[in-house]
Amino acid sequence: ACQAVGDSDLADLAVRMDVEHGLIVTCFHRLQPAGVGEALIPNAVQEIIRWQTPLAHMRRTVAEDTDMFGPMMKAGDKVVMWYLSANRDEDIFDDGEAIKVDRHNARRHLSFGYGIHRCVGARFAQDAARIMLATLLRHYHVRSVIDDEHVGVAHIFVLHGLSMGIQLKPRTDLI
């Protein structure tokens, strides 16, 4: 859960960075034609969260000797799950490196954990991202402005950038 990592603002950070990266990498023109975007937004949010997961990894200590899919893990060993790897697993996600706003199984991501380890702020983050995307789609033409100098922050646990490479232009067809 969000409190477990010692940062009550983690869900807010997850929303901001997922939307930031999602707007940059999503081919926004797929969402902007009239009638297309609104229907795809809930799935697009899941796909954005899958593709740009907020956390880098989760480390655990093996409690007892375990054989899981090959190498023997001894009690006391440290194991790591890399979210980016799990969320792009080609056995689960066809063409996992690509972002597809209409991916049929986008919700199968592990970005917010799973089971008893699922982030309590997951629903809030998803709803906030959905509302933000819908609002931007409704009121602005959004264009990616990608340059070679995306400013990011190197952090061992939370992945995020500092710059947002998009350009917003108010929709004149609404005036």
Side-chain angles (χ1 to χ4, degrees):
C2 297
Q3 293 291 355
V5 298
D7 187 355
S8 61
D9 294 329
L10 187 58
D12 179 56
L13 175 63
V15 170
R16 286 186 286 122
M17 54 190 241
D18 282 337
V19 170
E20 170 192 343
H21 287 94
L23 287 172
I24 293 169
V25 301
T26 300
C27 296
F28 211 84
H29 64 275
R30 291 184 198 171
L31 295 175
Q32 283 194 303
V36 174
E38 293 292 326
L40 284 176
I41 285 175
N43 202 70
V45 166
Q46 295 302 322
E47 178 68 353
I48 289 166
I49 293 169
R50 179 199 70 81
W51 194 88
Q52 178 52 51
T53 181
L55 301 178
H57 71 286
M58 187 60 64
R59 184 188 68 82
R60 295 287 186 254
T61 303
V62 177
E64 58 186 53
D65 291 355
T66 306
D67 181 7
M68 181 183 283
F69 309 114
M72 185 66 169
M73 296 177 281
K74 303 279 187 197
D77 285 352
K78 308 297 186 223
V79 294
V80 176
M81 182 192 76
W82 293 96
Y83 288 97
L84 285 174
S85 179
N87 286 342
R88 296 176 186 203
D89 185 342
E90 296 282 336
D91 290 341
I92 306 296
F93 302 103
D94 182 45
D95 194 16
E97 288 292 325
I99 187 163
K100 300 176 180 179
V101 296
D102 58 349
R103 184 181 298 277
H104 77 281
N105 64 343
R107 290 186 61 93
R108 290 198 58 198
H109 64 80
L110 298 177
S111 298
F112 293 113
Y114 183 78
I116 64 169
H117 297 285
R118 184 162 169 81
C119 176
V120 296
R123 180 60 60 201
F124 168 77
Q126 292 163 345
D127 286 347
R130 181 184 47 76
I131 291 166
M132 184 178 284
L133 267 179
T135 301
L136 287 172
L137 185 64
R138 214 172 283 124
H139 298 287
Y140 295 96
H141 290 288
V142 181
R143 187 172 79 89
S144 291
V145 182
I146 307 292
D147 58 24
D148 292 336
E149 296 201 29
H150 179 75
V151 180
V153 173
H155 194 284
I156 194 154
F157 187 63
V158 178
L159 304 170
H160 62 93
L162 294 176
S163 65
M164 186 178 244
I166 64 167
Q167 190 174 66
L168 299 174
K169 181 180 175 190
R171 290 182 58 180
T172 56
D173 58 320
L174 299 174
I175 297 174

